[in-house]
Amino acid sequence: MNPDHDDLRRLLGGYLLGGLDDADTDRLDAHLRDCDECRDELERLAPVPELLQRLPDAQRAFPGGAQAPISMSARPTAENVEGLLRRMRAERSRENRIARVRWLAAAAVVVVAAVIGIGVIRGNRETTTPSVLPSPQLVTAQFEAAEGSGLAGEAVLTPKTWGVSVALDVTKLRGEGPFLCQVRSMHGEVEQAAAWGPTPSGNAKVIGASSFQIDDVQSVTVADHDGHPLGTANVD
Protein backbone atom coordinates (compact mmCIF):
# COMPACT_ATOMS: atom_id res chain seq x y z
CA MET A 1 0.00 0.00 0.00
CA ASN A 2 1.17 3.54 -0.73
CA PRO A 3 2.86 4.92 2.44
CA ASP A 4 0.99 8.20 1.83
CA HIS A 5 -2.36 6.36 1.65
CA ASP A 6 -3.76 7.65 4.95
CA ASP A 7 -2.71 11.23 4.24
CA LEU A 8 -4.25 11.12 0.76
CA ARG A 9 -7.42 9.50 2.08
CA ARG A 10 -7.91 12.49 4.40
CA LEU A 11 -8.01 14.73 1.33
CA LEU A 12 -11.17 13.08 -0.07
CA GLY A 13 -13.52 15.47 1.73
CA GLY A 14 -11.70 18.53 0.46
CA TYR A 15 -11.56 16.95 -3.00
CA LEU A 16 -15.37 16.65 -3.06
CA LEU A 17 -15.92 20.15 -1.69
CA GLY A 18 -13.47 21.77 -4.11
CA GLY A 19 -11.08 22.84 -1.38
CA LEU A 20 -7.77 21.36 -2.60
CA ASP A 21 -5.01 23.22 -4.37
CA ASP A 22 -3.75 22.01 -7.75
CA ALA A 23 -0.84 20.05 -6.28
CA ASP A 24 -2.99 18.05 -3.84
CA THR A 25 -5.63 17.51 -6.52
CA ASP A 26 -3.01 16.06 -8.90
CA ARG A 27 -1.60 13.82 -6.11
CA LEU A 28 -5.05 12.49 -5.23
CA ASP A 29 -5.99 11.97 -8.89
CA ALA A 30 -2.88 9.82 -9.36
CA HIS A 31 -3.60 7.89 -6.14
CA LEU A 32 -7.23 7.20 -7.08
CA ARG A 33 -6.16 5.55 -10.32
CA ASP A 34 -4.49 2.74 -8.33
CA CYS A 35 -6.42 2.62 -5.03
CA ASP A 36 -9.73 0.73 -5.07
CA GLU A 37 -10.37 1.54 -1.39
CA CYS A 38 -10.19 5.31 -1.90
CA ARG A 39 -12.24 5.13 -5.10
CA ASP A 40 -14.96 3.25 -3.21
CA GLU A 41 -14.84 5.81 -0.38
CA LEU A 42 -15.08 8.68 -2.88
CA GLU A 43 -18.07 7.04 -4.58
CA ARG A 44 -19.84 6.61 -1.24
CA LEU A 45 -19.30 10.26 -0.35
CA ALA A 46 -20.11 11.66 -3.81
CA PRO A 47 -23.65 12.83 -2.83
CA VAL A 48 -22.34 14.93 0.10
CA PRO A 49 -21.88 18.32 -1.66
CA GLU A 50 -25.33 18.23 -3.24
CA LEU A 51 -26.96 17.15 0.03
CA LEU A 52 -25.23 19.94 1.91
CA GLN A 53 -26.33 22.50 -0.65
CA ARG A 54 -29.96 21.41 -0.23
CA LEU A 55 -30.00 22.16 3.50
CA PRO A 56 -32.02 25.42 3.87
CA ASP A 57 -30.01 26.88 6.77
CA ALA A 58 -26.99 24.59 6.67
CA GLN A 59 -24.00 25.61 8.76
CA ARG A 60 -20.75 23.81 9.45
CA ALA A 61 -18.89 23.71 12.74
CA PHE A 62 -15.34 24.99 12.95
CA PRO A 63 -12.82 24.38 15.76
CA GLY A 64 -13.76 26.40 18.86
CA GLY A 65 -17.52 26.07 18.26
CA ALA A 66 -17.87 28.92 15.73
CA GLN A 67 -20.50 28.53 13.02
CA ALA A 68 -20.25 29.64 9.40
CA PRO A 69 -22.36 29.00 6.28
CA ILE A 70 -21.21 26.13 4.04
CA SER A 71 -19.30 27.27 1.00
CA MET A 72 -18.24 24.87 -1.74
CA SER A 73 -15.32 27.15 -2.60
CA ALA A 74 -13.90 27.36 0.95
CA ARG A 75 -10.89 25.17 1.72
CA PRO A 76 -11.83 22.81 4.61
CA THR A 77 -9.37 22.06 7.37
CA ALA A 78 -8.24 18.49 8.11
CA GLU A 79 -10.40 18.47 11.28
CA ASN A 80 -13.51 19.55 9.36
CA VAL A 81 -12.91 16.99 6.59
CA GLU A 82 -12.42 14.13 9.07
CA GLY A 83 -15.53 15.23 10.98
CA LEU A 84 -17.55 15.23 7.77
CA LEU A 85 -16.31 11.73 6.88
CA ARG A 86 -17.15 10.40 10.35
CA ARG A 87 -20.66 11.83 10.20
CA MET A 88 -21.25 10.39 6.75
CA ARG A 89 -20.02 6.92 7.79
CA ALA A 90 -22.26 6.99 10.87
CA GLU A 91 -25.27 8.07 8.78
CA ARG A 92 -24.62 5.36 6.20
CA SER A 93 -24.28 2.76 8.96
CA ARG A 94 -27.65 3.85 10.38
CA GLU A 95 -29.29 3.74 6.94
CA ASN A 96 -27.85 0.26 6.33
CA ARG A 97 -29.27 -0.99 9.64
CA ILE A 98 -32.70 0.42 8.78
CA ALA A 99 -32.53 -1.13 5.31
CA ARG A 100 -31.64 -4.54 6.78
CA VAL A 101 -34.58 -4.37 9.20
CA ARG A 102 -36.97 -3.46 6.38
CA TRP A 103 -35.59 -6.26 4.21
CA LEU A 104 -36.02 -8.81 7.00
CA ALA A 105 -39.58 -7.63 7.61
CA ALA A 106 -40.41 -7.94 3.90
CA ALA A 107 -38.81 -11.38 3.78
CA ALA A 108 -40.87 -12.48 6.77
CA VAL A 109 -44.07 -11.39 5.00
CA VAL A 110 -43.07 -13.39 1.91
CA VAL A 111 -42.31 -16.49 3.98
CA VAL A 112 -45.64 -16.27 5.82
CA ALA A 113 -47.50 -15.80 2.53
CA ALA A 114 -45.69 -18.80 1.05
CA VAL A 115 -46.56 -20.99 4.03
CA ILE A 116 -50.21 -19.93 3.86
CA GLY A 117 -50.23 -20.62 0.12
CA ILE A 118 -48.80 -24.10 0.63
CA GLY A 119 -51.47 -24.81 3.23
CA VAL A 120 -54.21 -23.66 0.85
CA ILE A 121 -52.84 -25.79 -1.98
CA ARG A 122 -52.66 -28.86 0.24
CA GLY A 123 -56.20 -28.25 1.49
CA ASN A 124 -57.49 -27.91 -2.06
CA ARG A 125 -55.73 -31.09 -3.15
CA GLU A 126 -57.59 -33.00 -0.50
CA THR A 127 -61.01 -31.85 -1.77
CA THR A 128 -60.71 -30.89 -5.44
CA THR A 129 -58.81 -31.80 -8.56
CA PRO A 130 -56.23 -29.12 -9.42
CA SER A 131 -56.90 -27.23 -12.63
CA VAL A 132 -54.30 -26.03 -15.14
CA LEU A 133 -54.24 -22.26 -15.46
CA PRO A 134 -54.20 -20.94 -19.05
CA SER A 135 -50.98 -19.26 -20.21
CA PRO A 136 -51.14 -15.51 -20.90
CA GLN A 137 -52.40 -14.62 -24.37
CA LEU A 138 -49.60 -12.76 -26.10
CA VAL A 139 -50.30 -10.12 -28.75
CA THR A 140 -47.70 -9.37 -31.42
CA ALA A 141 -47.87 -6.19 -33.49
CA GLN A 142 -45.54 -5.20 -36.36
CA PHE A 143 -44.12 -1.69 -36.61
CA GLU A 144 -44.83 0.52 -39.61
CA ALA A 145 -42.14 3.16 -40.15
CA ALA A 146 -43.07 6.83 -40.06
CA GLU A 147 -42.22 8.99 -43.07
CA GLY A 148 -38.45 9.47 -43.28
CA SER A 149 -37.78 6.68 -40.78
CA GLY A 150 -36.52 3.18 -41.56
CA LEU A 151 -37.58 1.69 -38.24
CA ALA A 152 -38.75 -1.94 -38.36
CA GLY A 153 -39.53 -4.66 -35.84
CA GLU A 154 -42.30 -5.79 -33.55
CA ALA A 155 -43.90 -5.24 -30.16
CA VAL A 156 -45.01 -8.21 -28.06
CA LEU A 157 -47.64 -7.43 -25.41
CA THR A 158 -48.18 -9.71 -22.42
CA PRO A 159 -51.22 -9.15 -20.18
CA LYS A 160 -50.54 -8.66 -16.47
CA THR A 161 -52.81 -8.12 -13.50
CA TRP A 162 -51.47 -4.56 -13.21
CA GLY A 163 -51.54 -3.75 -16.94
CA VAL A 164 -49.40 -4.94 -19.83
CA SER A 165 -45.73 -5.77 -20.41
CA VAL A 166 -44.31 -4.46 -23.70
CA ALA A 167 -41.29 -6.19 -25.28
CA LEU A 168 -39.74 -4.34 -28.23
CA ASP A 169 -37.42 -5.80 -30.86
CA VAL A 170 -36.62 -3.02 -33.32
CA THR A 171 -33.98 -2.23 -35.93
CA LYS A 172 -32.80 0.76 -37.97
CA LEU A 173 -33.15 3.30 -35.16
CA ARG A 174 -31.91 6.66 -36.32
CA GLY A 175 -31.02 9.64 -34.16
CA GLU A 176 -29.10 10.50 -31.05
CA GLY A 177 -31.69 9.28 -28.53
CA PRO A 178 -32.95 8.85 -25.96
CA PHE A 179 -35.75 6.90 -27.65
CA LEU A 180 -39.19 6.49 -26.11
CA CYS A 181 -41.78 3.71 -26.15
CA GLN A 182 -45.30 5.14 -25.87
CA VAL A 183 -48.49 3.12 -25.39
CA ARG A 184 -51.80 4.65 -26.54
CA SER A 185 -55.16 3.48 -25.17
CA MET A 186 -58.46 3.20 -27.03
CA HIS A 187 -59.51 6.44 -25.29
CA GLY A 188 -56.51 8.38 -26.64
CA GLU A 189 -54.51 8.38 -23.40
CA VAL A 190 -50.74 7.95 -23.76
CA GLU A 191 -48.25 6.45 -21.29
CA GLN A 192 -44.47 6.20 -21.60
CA ALA A 193 -43.56 2.53 -21.20
CA ALA A 194 -39.76 2.71 -21.66
CA ALA A 195 -36.80 4.92 -22.60
CA TRP A 196 -33.31 4.01 -23.79
CA GLY A 197 -30.24 5.44 -25.47
CA PRO A 198 -28.79 4.90 -28.95
CA THR A 199 -26.88 1.75 -29.94
CA PRO A 200 -24.06 1.58 -32.50
CA SER A 201 -25.99 -0.99 -34.59
CA GLY A 202 -29.29 0.89 -34.46
CA ASN A 203 -30.96 -2.23 -33.03
CA ALA A 204 -32.64 -2.47 -29.62
CA LYS A 205 -34.45 -5.04 -27.51
CA VAL A 206 -36.30 -3.29 -24.69
CA ILE A 207 -38.93 -4.34 -22.16
CA GLY A 208 -41.33 -1.73 -20.80
CA ALA A 209 -44.67 -1.60 -19.01
CA SER A 210 -47.97 0.26 -19.07
CA SER A 211 -50.91 0.39 -16.66
CA PHE A 212 -53.38 -0.06 -19.56
CA GLN A 213 -55.03 -3.47 -19.78
CA ILE A 214 -54.21 -5.29 -23.00
CA ASP A 215 -57.79 -5.04 -24.32
CA ASP A 216 -57.54 -1.25 -23.97
CA VAL A 217 -54.25 -0.86 -25.93
CA GLN A 218 -54.67 0.71 -29.35
CA SER A 219 -51.06 1.09 -30.45
CA VAL A 220 -47.38 1.13 -29.45
CA THR A 221 -45.13 3.89 -30.81
CA VAL A 222 -41.35 4.37 -30.82
CA ALA A 223 -40.47 8.08 -30.81
CA ASP A 224 -37.33 10.21 -30.65
CA HIS A 225 -36.41 12.42 -27.69
CA ASP A 226 -38.65 15.20 -29.02
CA GLY A 227 -41.63 12.87 -29.19
CA HIS A 228 -41.66 12.60 -33.01
CA PRO A 229 -42.88 9.11 -34.01
CA LEU A 230 -40.37 6.84 -35.75
CA GLY A 231 -42.74 3.89 -36.10
CA THR A 232 -46.12 2.66 -34.82
CA ALA A 233 -47.43 -0.85 -34.17
CA ASN A 234 -51.22 -0.99 -34.21
CA VAL A 235 -52.77 -3.60 -31.93
CA ASP A 236 -55.72 -5.42 -33.52
Side-chain angles (χ1 to χ4, degrees), residues 63-145:
Q67 298 287 327
I70 293 174
S71 171
M72 294 298 105
S73 61
R75 181 175 301 173
T77 65
E79 291 84 358
N80 289 327
V81 170
E82 281 302 304
L84 175 62
L85 295 179
R86 285 195 298 272
R87 290 194 296 273
M88 283 301 301
R89 293 190 194 105
E91 180 63 20
R92 286 186 177 274
S93 177
R94 185 182 71 83
E95 290 175 354
N96 290 338
R97 287 197 300 271
I98 293 173
R100 283 195 295 271
V101 170
R102 289 176 177 170
W103 183 90
L104 289 173
V109 171
V110 172
V111 170
V112 171
V115 171
I116 293 174
I118 291 171
V120 171
I121 291 172
R122 287 178 177 171
N124 288 340
R125 284 178 177 172
E126 293 175 359
T127 57
T128 62
T129 302
S131 59
V132 177
L133 295 176
S135 60
Q137 184 64 42
L138 305 182
V139 175
T140 301
Q142 301 296 321
F143 278 100
E144 295 183 5

